[in-house]
Amino acid sequence: MAYYKPITCKSAMNRINSRYLPFHWDLNIYRGCAHRCRYCYALYTHDYMEDNRFFDTIYIKQNVADRLAAELAKPQWKREVVNIGGITDSYQPIEADMQLMPEILKLLIQHKTPCIISTKSDLILRDFDLLEQLSRITYVNVAATITTTDEQLRKKLEPGGVSSVRRFAMLKAFAPTKVHTGLHTMPIIPLLSDSDENLESLFAGGADAKVDYVLPGLLNLKGKTRDHFLEFFHTEFPEKMDAFLTFYGRGGLDKAYKKSFYQKLSKINAKYDLTMGHRLPQNLLQPVDDGQQLSLF
């Protein structure tokens, strides 16, 4: 069971200078996440906290709405896109009690600020009216990360998340609104979720939910994530371990495998004709340091 601890933050939004992202502001209302995803890339972020138990010690930024209000009220705020929950899921279970997101969304409405939200929970439907209201003012993107439609595998990979069926239903609920929706099929894991059957079911679910785009991605093993995931994989799928390491033996994923995978994905998507990749409206693109603009991530 997770331990929850309130903290105060100096700022709500963090500036991100990246040529590979179409947004330059990230907002996380929690540190740590109870979804316990085996492939979580954000484990390193607890290195700066009192302990490194990312899944077990969840820090609640109790003053985050106050800080955001001050930041959005600054004359120099340009109503840039804010990515909400880039490190930890804003709709993890504790949010049902804390209810920080409604206050965040009300501030975005007040200041006409566009946002991107990605989640593994359908708790976001609690804030449906606020998101729908914001979408009538400015750009809103709601994405669900869904890696597999095999519920038994999903429970092993994401023990704290809600079922994939519920995530698809959440996306479908936003279809009649102006909220843009995305299906993030990431990470796809070799030997576990990369079968034609699983990929086709993911794209079929996205088509049924009328998502605006699909953003695929393969498992990336770096830093703490590598040891954490390999320990899980060895425990749960020992018979596949040797074969799996042929793909990730030297750290990065085998290039031949990646090429073959994306070729297969293109053939599957040909049946559904879903937009691959997320593109912001042109008027929301922000210049990066070298003067270029990015629109795909």
Side-chain angles (χ1 to χ4, degrees):
M1 182 178 294
Y3 167 70
Y4 297 97
K5 183 175 181 178
I7 58 172
T8 57
C9 57
K10 294 181 180 180
S11 60
M13 297 187 293
N14 296 307
R15 177 76 180 181
I16 299 175
N17 293 312
S18 172
R19 298 190 68 256
Y20 303 101
L21 297 172
F23 52 81
H24 297 313
W25 295 98
D26 190 52
L27 186 157
N28 293 280
I29 61 178
Y30 301 105
R31 297 196 67 160
C33 184
H35 282 163
R36 311 186 76 88
C37 299
R38 306 302 187 182
Y39 50 75
C40 180
Y41 68 89
L43 300 180
Y44 73 93
T45 60
H46 254 41
D47 289 348
Y48 312 101
M49 307 305 288
E50 293 179 1
D51 61 62
N52 62 0
R53 301 171 66 205
F54 184 87
F55 302 122
D56 299 307
T57 304
I58 314 298
Y59 295 90
I60 304 167
K61 299 180 182 180
Q62 57 185 351
N63 67 326
V64 66
D66 290 338
R67 295 309 310 148
L68 181 63
E71 290 163 18
L72 295 182
K74 292 181 178 179
Q76 60 267 39
W77 176 243
K78 299 178 182 178
R79 296 175 180 169
E80 298 180 51
V81 177
V82 179
N83 184 50
I84 302 177
I87 302 297
T88 59
D89 200 319
S90 301
Y91 288 97
Q92 59 181 292
I94 190 61
E95 172 59 15
D97 296 322
M98 296 307 302
Q99 300 189 45
L100 297 178
M101 278 301 295
E103 298 307 309
I104 299 297
L105 294 173
K106 289 173 185 177
L107 288 168
L108 297 182
I109 291 169
Q110 178 183 346
H111 294 278
K112 301 178 181 179
T113 295
C115 70
I116 298 171
I117 303 172
S118 181
T119 181
K120 293 184 174 76
S121 174
D122 57 357
L123 177 59
I124 192 172
L125 291 175
R126 178 200 63 191
D127 300 335
F128 182 93
D129 291 345
L130 290 171
L131 287 160
E132 194 277 331
Q133 182 179 349
L134 181 60
S135 74
R136 287 187 273 112
I137 298 172
T138 186
Y139 178 81
V140 177
N141 183 86
V142 170
T145 299
I146 306 177
T147 60
T148 179
T149 56
D150 179 339
E151 184 60 10
Q152 294 307 307
L153 177 60
R154 200 281 308 163
K155 288 179 179 179
K156 290 182 178 181
L157 290 172
E158 306 158 354
V162 303
S163 71
S164 296
V165 170
R166 288 171 59 179
R167 297 181 211 181
F168 276 121
M170 177 271 286
L171 291 173
K172 195 170 186 176
F174 283 106
T177 73
K178 291 186 177 182
V179 174
H180 288 73
T181 57
L183 170 60
H184 291 184
T185 59
M186 56 173 63
I188 297 298
I189 302 171
L191 304 180
L192 294 187
S193 58
D194 62 344
S195 68
D196 290 9
E197 179 183 12
N198 183 58
L199 295 174
E200 181 137 2
S201 65
L202 289 173
F203 275 75
D208 179 66
K210 296 181 174 58
V211 296
D212 292 290
Y213 69 93
V214 177
L215 186 61
L218 288 160
L219 177 67
N220 190 359
L221 292 181
K222 292 183 179 180
K224 286 189 171 183
T225 299
R226 181 178 175 86
D227 289 342
H228 178 75
F229 183 82
L230 289 181
E231 181 180 356
F232 155 77
F233 196 99
H234 184 266
T235 300
E236 295 292 339
F237 309 100
E239 74 285 358
K240 297 182 179 182
M241 191 68 183
D242 289 343
F244 183 79
L245 288 177
T246 64
F247 297 123
Y248 288 95
R250 296 186 178 182
L253 181 56
D254 179 74
K255 292 182 179 179
Y257 174 88
K258 287 198 289 187
K259 181 179 179 180
S260 175
F261 172 81
Y262 284 110
Q263 287 175 343
K264 176 171 66 174
L265 205 63
S266 294
K267 291 180 181 179
I268 291 174
N269 188 42
K271 302 177 184 179
Y272 301 97
D273 194 28
L274 296 174
T275 299
M276 298 282 276
H278 176 219
R279 186 174 296 274
L280 286 175
Q282 190 67 30
N283 66 310
L284 292 179
L285 294 179
Q286 299 295 327
V288 292
D289 294 339
D290 60 2
Q292 297 179 347
Q293 288 187 327
L294 301 175
S295 59
L296 188 65
F297 75 94

